[in-house]
Coordinates of all heavy atoms in Angstrom, one line a residue:
F184 N 95.8 119.1 88.4 CA 95.5 118.9 89.8 C 95.3 120.3 90.5 O 94.4 120.4 91.3 CB 96.7 118.2 90.5 CG 96.4 117.9 92.0 CD1 95.7 116.8 92.3 CD2 97.0 118.7 93.0 CE1 95.4 116.6 93.7 CE2 96.8 118.5 94.3 CZ 96.0 117.4 94.7
A185 N 96.0 121.3 90.1 CA 95.9 122.6 90.7 C 94.5 123.2 90.3 O 93.8 123.8 91.2 CB 97.0 123.6 90.2
T186 N 94.1 123.0 89.1 CA 92.8 123.5 88.7 C 91.7 122.8 89.4 O 90.7 123.4 89.8 CB 92.6 123.3 87.1 OG1 93.7 124.0 86.5 CG2 91.3 123.9 86.7
L187 N 91.8 121.5 89.6 CA 90.8 120.7 90.3 C 90.7 121.2 91.8 O 89.6 121.4 92.3 CB 91.2 119.2 90.3 CG 90.4 118.3 91.2 CD1 89.0 118.1 90.5 CD2 91.1 116.9 91.3
T188 N 91.9 121.5 92.4 CA 91.9 122.0 93.7 C 91.2 123.4 93.8 O 90.4 123.6 94.7 CB 93.3 122.2 94.2 OG1 94.0 120.9 94.2 CG2 93.4 122.8 95.6
L189 N 91.4 124.2 92.8 CA 90.8 125.6 92.9 C 89.3 125.6 92.6 O 88.5 126.3 93.3 CB 91.5 126.5 91.8 CG 92.9 126.9 92.1 CD1 93.6 127.5 90.9 CD2 93.0 127.8 93.3
I190 N 88.8 124.8 91.7 CA 87.4 124.8 91.4 C 86.6 124.1 92.4 O 85.4 124.4 92.7 CB 87.1 124.3 89.9 CG1 87.3 122.8 89.9 CG2 87.9 125.0 88.9 CD1 86.8 122.2 88.6
T191 N 87.1 123.0 93.0 CA 86.4 122.3 94.0 C 86.5 123.0 95.4 O 85.8 122.5 96.3 CB 86.9 120.8 94.1 OG1 88.3 120.8 94.3 CG2 86.5 120.1 92.9
A192 N 87.3 124.0 95.6 CA 87.3 124.7 96.8 C 86.0 125.4 97.1 O 85.6 125.7 98.3 CB 88.4 125.8 96.8
K193 N 85.2 125.6 96.0 CA 83.8 126.2 96.2 C 82.8 125.1 95.8 O 82.5 124.9 94.6 CB 83.6 127.4 95.3 CG 84.5 128.6 95.8 CD 84.3 129.8 94.9 CE 85.2 131.0 95.3 NZ 85.0 132.2 94.5
P194 N 82.4 124.3 96.7 CA 81.6 123.1 96.4 C 80.2 123.4 95.8 O 79.6 124.4 96.2 CB 81.5 122.3 97.7 CG 81.7 123.4 98.8 CD 82.6 124.4 98.2
V195 N 79.8 122.6 94.8 CA 78.5 122.6 94.3 C 77.7 121.5 94.8 O 76.5 121.6 95.1 CB 78.5 122.6 92.7 CG1 77.1 122.5 92.1 CG2 79.2 123.9 92.2
L196 N 78.3 120.3 94.9 CA 77.7 119.1 95.4 C 78.4 118.7 96.7 O 79.5 119.2 97.0 CB 77.7 118.0 94.4 CG 77.0 118.2 93.1 CD1 77.4 117.1 92.1 CD2 75.5 118.1 93.4
E197 N 77.9 117.7 97.4 CA 78.6 117.1 98.5 C 79.9 116.5 98.0 O 80.0 116.0 96.9 CB 77.7 116.0 99.2 CG 76.6 116.6 100.0 CD 77.1 117.3 101.2 OE1 78.1 116.9 101.8 OE2 76.5 118.4 101.5
P198 N 81.0 116.5 98.9 CA 82.3 115.9 98.4 C 82.2 114.5 97.9 O 82.8 114.2 96.9 CB 83.1 116.0 99.7 CG 82.5 117.2 100.5 CD 81.1 117.1 100.2
L199 N 81.4 113.6 98.6 CA 81.3 112.3 98.1 C 80.6 112.2 96.8 O 81.0 111.4 95.9 CB 80.6 111.4 99.2 CG 80.6 109.9 98.9 CD1 82.0 109.4 98.7 CD2 79.9 109.1 100.0
S200 N 79.6 112.9 96.6 CA 78.9 112.9 95.3 C 79.8 113.4 94.2 O 79.8 112.9 93.1 CB 77.6 113.8 95.4 OG 76.7 113.2 96.3
T201 N 80.6 114.5 94.5 CA 81.5 115.0 93.5 C 82.5 114.0 93.1 O 82.9 113.8 92.0 CB 82.2 116.3 94.0 OG1 81.2 117.3 94.4 CG2 83.1 116.9 93.0
T202 N 83.0 113.3 94.2 CA 84.0 112.2 93.9 C 83.4 111.1 93.1 O 84.0 110.6 92.1 CB 84.5 111.7 95.3 OG1 85.1 112.7 96.0 CG2 85.6 110.6 95.0
A203 N 82.2 110.7 93.5 CA 81.6 109.5 92.8 C 81.4 109.8 91.4 O 81.9 109.0 90.5 CB 80.3 109.2 93.6
F204 N 80.6 110.8 91.1 CA 80.2 111.0 89.7 C 81.4 111.6 88.9 O 81.5 111.3 87.7 CB 79.0 112.0 89.6 CG 77.8 111.4 90.4 CD1 77.3 112.1 91.4 CD2 77.3 110.2 90.1 CE1 76.2 111.6 92.1 CE2 76.2 109.7 90.8 CZ 75.7 110.4 91.8
G205 N 82.3 112.4 89.5 CA 83.5 112.9 88.8 C 84.4 111.8 88.4 O 85.0 111.8 87.3
C206 N 84.7 110.8 89.3 CA 85.5 109.7 88.9 C 84.9 108.9 87.8 O 85.7 108.5 86.9 CB 85.8 108.8 90.2 SG 87.0 109.4 91.3
L207 N 83.6 108.7 87.8 CA 83.0 107.9 86.8 C 83.2 108.6 85.4 O 83.5 108.0 84.4 CB 81.5 107.7 87.1 CG 81.1 106.6 88.0 CD1 79.6 106.5 88.2 CD2 81.6 105.2 87.4
V208 N 82.9 109.9 85.4 CA 83.1 110.7 84.2 C 84.5 110.7 83.7 O 84.8 110.4 82.5 CB 82.6 112.2 84.4 CG1 83.0 113.0 83.2 CG2 81.1 112.2 84.6
G209 N 85.5 110.8 84.6 CA 86.9 110.8 84.3 C 87.3 109.4 83.7 O 88.0 109.3 82.8
G210 N 86.8 108.3 84.4 CA 87.1 107.0 83.9 C 86.6 106.7 82.5 O 87.2 106.1 81.6
I211 N 85.4 107.2 82.2 CA 84.8 107.1 80.9 C 85.6 107.8 79.9 O 85.8 107.3 78.7 CB 83.3 107.5 80.9 CG1 82.5 106.6 81.8 CG2 82.7 107.6 79.5 CD1 81.1 107.1 82.1
L212 N 86.0 109.0 80.2 CA 86.8 109.8 79.3 C 88.2 109.2 79.0 O 88.7 109.3 77.9 CB 86.9 111.2 79.8 CG 85.7 112.1 79.9 CD1 86.0 113.4 80.6 CD2 85.1 112.4 78.5
L213 N 88.7 108.6 80.0 CA 90.1 108.0 79.9 C 90.1 106.6 79.2 O 91.1 106.3 78.7 CB 90.7 107.9 81.3 CG 92.2 107.6 81.4 CD1 93.0 108.6 80.6 CD2 92.6 107.6 82.9
T214 N 89.0 105.9 79.3 CA 88.9 104.6 78.7 C 89.3 104.5 77.3 O 90.1 103.6 76.9 CB 87.5 103.9 79.0 OG1 87.3 103.8 80.4 CG2 87.4 102.6 78.3
P215 N 88.8 105.3 76.4 CA 89.3 105.2 75.0 C 90.8 105.4 74.8 O 91.4 104.8 73.9 CB 88.5 106.3 74.3 CG 87.3 106.6 75.2 CD 87.8 106.4 76.5
V216 N 91.4 106.3 75.6 CA 92.8 106.6 75.5 C 93.6 105.3 76.0 O 94.6 105.0 75.4 CB 93.2 107.8 76.4 CG1 94.7 108.1 76.3 CG2 92.4 109.0 75.9
A217 N 93.1 104.7 77.1 CA 93.8 103.5 77.6 C 93.5 102.2 76.9 O 94.3 101.3 77.0 CB 93.3 103.3 79.1
S218 N 92.5 102.2 76.1 CA 92.1 100.9 75.4 C 93.1 100.4 74.4 O 93.2 99.2 74.2 CB 90.7 101.1 74.8 OG 90.8 102.1 73.8
W219 N 93.9 101.4 73.8 CA 94.9 101.0 72.8 C 95.9 100.1 73.5 O 96.6 99.2 72.8 CB 95.5 102.2 72.2 CG 96.4 103.0 73.1 CD1 96.0 104.0 73.9 CD2 97.8 102.8 73.4 NE1 97.1 104.5 74.6 CE2 98.2 103.8 74.3 CE3 98.7 101.9 72.9 CZ2 99.5 103.8 74.8 CZ3 100.0 102.0 73.4 CH2 100.4 102.9 74.3
A220 N 96.2 100.3 74.8 CA 97.2 99.5 75.5 C 96.6 98.2 76.0 O 97.4 97.3 76.5 CB 97.8 100.3 76.6
G221 N 95.3 98.0 76.0 CA 94.7 96.8 76.4 C 94.1 96.9 77.8 O 94.8 97.4 78.7
L222 N 92.9 96.6 78.0 CA 92.2 96.6 79.3 C 91.8 95.3 79.8 O 91.1 95.2 80.8 CB 90.9 97.5 79.1 CG 91.2 99.0 78.9 CD1 89.8 99.7 78.6 CD2 91.8 99.7 80.1
A223 N 92.3 94.2 79.2 CA 92.0 92.9 79.7 C 92.5 92.7 81.1 O 93.7 92.9 81.4 CB 92.5 91.8 78.7
L224 N 91.7 92.2 82.0 CA 92.0 92.0 83.4 C 92.0 90.5 83.8 O 90.9 89.9 83.7 CB 91.1 92.8 84.3 CG 91.5 93.0 85.7 CD1 92.7 94.0 85.8 CD2 90.3 93.6 86.5
P225 N 93.1 90.0 84.2 CA 93.1 88.5 84.6 C 92.1 88.4 85.8 O 92.2 89.1 86.8 CB 94.5 88.3 85.0 CG 95.3 89.3 84.4 CD 94.4 90.5 84.3
L226 N 91.3 87.4 85.8 CA 90.3 87.1 86.8 C 90.9 86.3 87.9 O 90.6 85.1 88.1 CB 89.0 86.5 86.3 CG 88.3 87.3 85.2 CD1 87.0 86.6 84.7 CD2 87.9 88.7 85.8
R227 N 91.9 86.9 88.6 CA 92.5 86.2 89.8 C 92.2 87.0 91.0 O 92.0 88.2 91.0 CB 94.1 86.1 89.6 CG 94.5 85.4 88.3 CD 96.0 85.0 88.4 NE 96.8 86.0 88.9 CZ 97.5 86.8 88.1 NH1 97.5 86.7 86.8 NH2 98.3 87.8 88.7
V228 N 92.3 86.3 92.2 CA 91.9 86.9 93.4 C 92.8 88.0 93.8 O 92.3 89.1 94.2 CB 91.9 85.8 94.6 CG1 91.7 86.5 95.9 CG2 90.9 84.7 94.3
D229 N 94.1 87.9 93.6 CA 95.0 88.9 94.0 C 94.8 90.2 93.1 O 94.8 91.3 93.6 CB 96.5 88.5 93.9 CG 96.9 88.0 92.5 OD1 96.0 87.5 91.7 OD2 98.1 88.0 92.1
V230 N 94.6 90.0 91.8 CA 94.4 91.1 90.9 C 93.1 91.8 91.2 O 93.0 93.0 91.3 CB 94.4 90.6 89.4 CG1 93.9 91.7 88.5 CG2 95.7 90.1 89.0
L231 N 92.0 91.0 91.4 CA 90.7 91.7 91.8 C 90.8 92.4 93.1 O 90.1 93.5 93.2 CB 89.6 90.6 91.8 CG 89.3 89.9 90.4 CD1 88.3 88.8 90.6 CD2 88.9 90.9 89.4
A232 N 91.5 91.8 94.1 CA 91.6 92.5 95.4 C 92.4 93.8 95.2 O 92.0 94.9 95.8 CB 92.4 91.6 96.3
L233 N 93.4 93.9 94.4 CA 94.1 95.1 94.1 C 93.3 96.1 93.4 O 93.3 97.3 93.8 CB 95.4 94.8 93.3 CG 96.6 94.2 94.0 CD1 97.6 93.7 93.0 CD2 97.2 95.2 95.0
V234 N 92.5 95.7 92.5 CA 91.6 96.6 91.8 C 90.6 97.2 92.7 O 90.3 98.5 92.7 CB 90.8 95.9 90.6 CG1 89.7 96.8 90.1 CG2 91.8 95.6 89.5
C235 N 90.0 96.4 93.6 CA 89.0 96.9 94.5 C 89.6 97.8 95.5 O 89.1 98.9 95.9 CB 88.4 95.7 95.3 SG 87.3 94.7 94.2
Y236 N 90.8 97.5 96.0 CA 91.5 98.4 97.0 C 91.8 99.7 96.3 O 91.6 100.8 96.9 CB 92.8 97.7 97.5 CG 93.5 98.7 98.5 CD1 93.2 98.7 99.8 CD2 94.5 99.5 98.0 CE1 93.8 99.6 100.7 CE2 95.2 100.4 98.9 CZ 94.8 100.4 100.2 OH 95.5 101.3 101.1
L237 N 92.4 99.7 95.1 CA 92.8 100.9 94.4 C 91.6 101.8 94.2 O 91.8 103.0 94.3 CB 93.5 100.5 93.1 CG 94.1 101.7 92.3 CD1 95.2 102.4 93.1 CD2 94.6 101.1 91.0
G238 N 90.5 101.2 93.8 CA 89.3 102.0 93.6 C 88.7 102.6 94.8 O 88.3 103.7 94.9
A239 N 88.6 101.7 95.9 CA 87.8 102.1 97.1 C 88.6 103.0 98.0 O 88.0 104.0 98.5 CB 87.4 100.8 97.8
V240 N 89.9 102.7 98.3 CA 90.6 103.4 99.4 C 91.3 104.6 98.9 O 91.0 105.8 99.3 CB 91.5 102.4 100.1 CG1 92.2 103.2 101.3 CG2 90.7 101.3 100.7
P241 N 92.4 104.5 98.0 CA 93.1 105.7 97.6 C 92.5 106.5 96.6 O 93.0 107.5 96.2 CB 94.5 105.1 97.1 CG 94.1 103.8 96.7 CD 93.0 103.3 97.5
T242 N 91.3 106.1 96.1 CA 90.6 106.9 95.1 C 89.3 107.4 95.7 O 89.2 108.6 96.0 CB 90.3 106.1 93.8 OG1 91.5 105.5 93.3 CG2 89.7 106.9 92.7
A243 N 88.3 106.6 95.9 CA 87.0 107.1 96.4 C 87.1 107.7 97.7 O 86.7 108.9 98.0 CB 86.0 105.9 96.4
L244 N 87.7 107.0 98.7 CA 87.8 107.5 100.1 C 88.7 108.7 100.1 O 88.4 109.7 100.8 CB 88.3 106.4 101.0 CG 88.3 106.8 102.5 CD1 87.0 107.3 103.0 CD2 88.8 105.6 103.3
A245 N 89.9 108.6 99.5 CA 90.9 109.7 99.5 C 90.4 111.0 98.9 O 90.5 112.1 99.5 CB 92.2 109.2 98.9
Y246 N 89.8 110.9 97.7 CA 89.3 112.1 97.1 C 88.1 112.7 97.8 O 88.0 113.9 97.8 CB 89.0 111.9 95.6 CG 90.2 111.9 94.7 CD1 90.8 110.8 94.1 CD2 90.8 113.2 94.4 CE1 91.9 110.9 93.3 CE2 91.9 113.3 93.6 CZ 92.5 112.1 93.1 OH 93.6 112.2 92.3
A247 N 87.3 111.9 98.4 CA 86.2 112.4 99.2 C 86.7 113.1 100.4 O 86.2 114.2 100.7 CB 85.2 111.2 99.6
A248 N 87.7 112.6 101.0 CA 88.3 113.3 102.2 C 89.0 114.6 101.7 O 88.9 115.6 102.4 CB 89.3 112.4 102.9
Y249 N 89.7 114.6 100.6 CA 90.3 115.8 100.1 C 89.3 116.9 99.8 O 89.5 118.0 100.2 CB 91.1 115.4 98.8 CG 91.9 116.5 98.3 CD1 93.0 117.0 99.0 CD2 91.6 117.1 97.0 CE1 93.8 118.1 98.4 CE2 92.4 118.1 96.5 CZ 93.5 118.6 97.2 OH 94.2 119.6 96.7
L250 N 88.3 116.5 99.1 CA 87.3 117.5 98.7 C 86.5 118.1 100.0 O 86.2 119.2 100.0 CB 86.3 117.0 97.7 CG 86.9 116.6 96.3 CD1 85.8 116.1 95.4 CD2 87.7 117.7 95.7
R251 N 86.3 117.2 101.0 CA 85.7 117.6 102.2 C 86.6 118.6 102.9 O 86.2 119.6 103.5 CB 85.4 116.5 103.1 CG 84.6 116.8 104.4 CD 84.1 115.6 105.1 NE 83.1 114.9 104.3 CZ 81.8 115.3 104.3 NH1 81.4 116.3 104.9 NH2 81.0 114.5 103.5
G252 N 87.9 118.3 103.0 CA 88.9 119.2 103.6 C 89.0 120.6 102.9 O 89.1 121.6 103.6
L253 N 88.9 120.5 101.6 CA 89.0 121.8 100.8 C 87.8 122.7 101.0 O 87.9 123.9 100.8 CB 89.1 121.5 99.3 CG 90.4 121.1 98.7 CD1 90.3 120.8 97.2 CD2 91.5 122.1 99.0
A254 N 86.7 122.2 101.5 CA 85.5 123.0 101.7 C 85.7 124.1 102.7 O 85.1 125.2 102.6 CB 84.3 122.1 102.1
T255 N 86.7 123.9 103.7 CA 86.9 124.9 104.7 C 88.4 125.2 104.8 O 88.8 126.0 105.7 CB 86.4 124.4 106.1 OG1 86.9 123.1 106.3 CG2 84.9 124.4 106.1
A256 N 89.2 124.7 104.0 CA 90.7 125.0 104.0 C 91.1 125.8 102.8 O 90.4 125.8 101.8 CB 91.5 123.7 104.0
H257 N 92.2 126.5 102.9 CA 92.7 127.3 101.8 C 93.2 126.3 100.7 O 93.8 125.3 101.0 CB 93.8 128.2 102.3 CG 94.1 129.3 101.3 ND1 95.0 129.1 100.2 CD2 93.7 130.6 101.2 CE1 95.1 130.2 99.5 NE2 94.3 131.1 100.1
P258 N 93.0 126.6 99.4 CA 93.4 125.7 98.4 C 94.9 125.5 98.4 O 95.4 124.4 98.0 CB 93.0 126.5 97.1 CG 91.9 127.3 97.5 CD 92.1 127.7 98.9
V259 N 95.7 126.5 98.8 CA 97.2 126.2 98.9 C 97.5 125.1 99.8 O 98.3 124.2 99.6 CB 97.9 127.5 99.2 CG1 99.4 127.3 99.5 CG2 97.8 128.6 98.2
L260 N 96.8 125.1 101.0 CA 97.1 124.1 102.0 C 96.6 122.7 101.4 O 97.3 121.7 101.7 CB 96.3 124.4 103.3 CG 96.4 123.3 104.4 CD1 97.9 123.2 104.8 CD2 95.6 123.8 105.6
G261 N 95.5 122.7 100.7 CA 95.1 121.5 100.0 C 96.1 120.9 99.1 O 96.4 119.7 99.1
A262 N 96.7 121.8 98.2 CA 97.7 121.4 97.3 C 99.0 120.9 98.0 O 99.6 119.9 97.6 CB 98.0 122.5 96.3
L263 N 99.4 121.6 99.1 CA 100.5 121.2 99.8 C 100.3 119.8 100.5 O 101.3 119.0 100.6 CB 100.8 122.2 100.9 CG 101.5 123.5 100.5 CD1 101.5 124.5 101.7 CD2 102.9 123.3 100.0
S264 N 99.1 119.5 100.9 CA 98.8 118.2 101.5 C 99.1 117.0 100.6 O 99.4 115.9 101.0 CB 97.4 118.1 101.9 OG 97.1 119.1 102.9
A265 N 99.1 117.3 99.2 CA 99.3 116.2 98.3 C 100.7 115.6 98.4 O 101.0 114.5 97.9 CB 99.1 116.7 96.9
V266 N 101.7 116.4 99.0 CA 103.0 115.9 99.1 C 103.1 114.7 100.1 O 104.2 114.0 100.1 CB 104.0 117.0 99.5 CG1 104.0 118.1 98.5 CG2 103.8 117.5 100.9
L267 N 102.1 114.5 100.9 CA 102.1 113.3 101.7 C 102.0 112.0 100.9 O 102.4 111.0 101.4 CB 100.9 113.4 102.7 CG 101.0 114.4 103.8 CD1 99.6 114.5 104.5 CD2 102.0 114.0 104.8
E268 N 101.6 112.1 99.6 CA 101.6 110.9 98.8 C 103.0 110.4 98.5 O 103.2 109.2 98.9 CB 100.9 111.3 97.4 CG 100.9 110.1 96.5 CD 100.2 110.4 95.2 OE1 99.8 111.6 95.0 OE2 100.2 109.6 94.3
P269 N 103.9 111.1 98.0 CA 105.3 110.5 97.8 C 106.0 110.2 99.1 O 106.7 109.2 99.2 CB 106.0 111.6 97.0 CG 105.3 112.9 97.2 CD 103.9 112.5 97.4
L270 N 105.7 111.0 100.1 CA 106.3 110.7 101.4 C 105.8 109.4 102.0 O 106.6 108.5 102.4 CB 106.0 111.8 102.4 CG 106.5 111.7 103.9 CD1 108.0 111.5 103.9 CD2 106.0 112.8 104.7
T271 N 104.5 109.1 101.9 CA 103.9 107.9 102.4 C 104.4 106.7 101.6 O 104.8 105.6 102.1 CB 102.4 107.9 102.4 OG1 101.9 109.0 103.2 CG2 101.8 106.6 102.9
A272 N 104.5 106.9 100.3 CA 104.9 105.8 99.4 C 106.4 105.4 99.7 O 106.7 104.3 99.7 CB 104.8 106.2 97.9
A273 N 107.2 106.4 99.9 CA 108.6 106.2 100.2 C 108.8 105.4 101.5 O 109.6 104.4 101.6 CB 109.4 107.5 100.2
V274 N 108.1 105.8 102.5 CA 108.2 105.2 103.8 C 107.6 103.8 103.7 O 108.3 102.8 104.3 CB 107.5 106.0 104.9 CG1 107.4 105.2 106.2 CG2 108.2 107.3 105.1
L275 N 106.5 103.6 103.1 CA 105.9 102.2 103.0 C 106.8 101.3 102.2 O 107.0 100.1 102.5 CB 104.5 102.3 102.3 CG 103.4 102.8 103.2 CD1 102.1 102.9 102.4 CD2 103.2 102.0 104.4
S276 N 107.5 101.8 101.1 CA 108.4 101.0 100.3 C 109.5 100.5 101.2 O 110.0 99.4 101.0 CB 108.9 101.8 99.1 OG 107.8 102.1 98.2
A277 N 110.0 101.4 102.0 CA 111.1 101.0 102.9 C 110.7 100.0 103.9 O 111.4 99.0 104.2 CB 111.7 102.3 103.6
L278 N 109.5 100.2 104.5 CA 109.0 99.3 105.5 C 108.6 97.9 105.0 O 108.9 96.9 105.6 CB 107.9 99.9 106.3 CG 108.3 101.2 107.2 CD1 107.0 101.8 107.8 CD2 109.3 100.8 108.2
L279 N 107.8 97.9 103.9 CA 107.2 96.7 103.4 C 108.0 95.9 102.4 O 108.0 94.7 102.3 CB 105.8 97.0 102.8 CG 104.8 97.7 103.7 CD1 103.5 98.0 102.9 CD2 104.5 96.8 104.9
F280 N 108.8 96.7 101.6 CA 109.6 96.0 100.5 C 111.1 96.1 100.7 O 111.8 95.7 99.8 CB 109.2 96.6 99.2 CG 107.7 96.5 98.9 CD1 106.9 97.6 98.9 CD2 107.1 95.3 98.6 CE1 105.5 97.5 98.7 CE2 105.7 95.2 98.4 CZ 105.0 96.3 98.4

Side-chain angles (χ1 to χ4, degrees):
F184 184 80
T186 305
L187 177 70
T188 297
L189 289 169
I190 70 168
T191 52
K193 296 179 180 179
V195 171
L196 296 169
E197 285 295 321
L199 186 56
S200 297
T201 302
T202 301
F204 303 122
C206 281
L207 278 180
V208 172
I211 292 170
L212 292 175
L213 192 55
T214 296
V216 181
S218 61
W219 67 270
L222 290 170
L224 194 69
L226 298 180
R227 301 200 313 264
V228 173
D229 59 334
V230 172
L231 295 178
L233 283 170
V234 170
C235 290
Y236 178 85
L237 184 62
V240 180
T242 305
L244 183 57
Y246 275 108
Y249 183 68
L250 297 182
R251 184 171 295 280
L253 278 181
T255 51
H257 195 278
V259 173
L260 181 57
L263 285 171
S264 298
V266 303
L267 287 169
E268 177 181 357
L270 177 60
T271 302
V274 172
L275 286 178
S276 295
L278 294 176
L279 300 179
F280 302 110

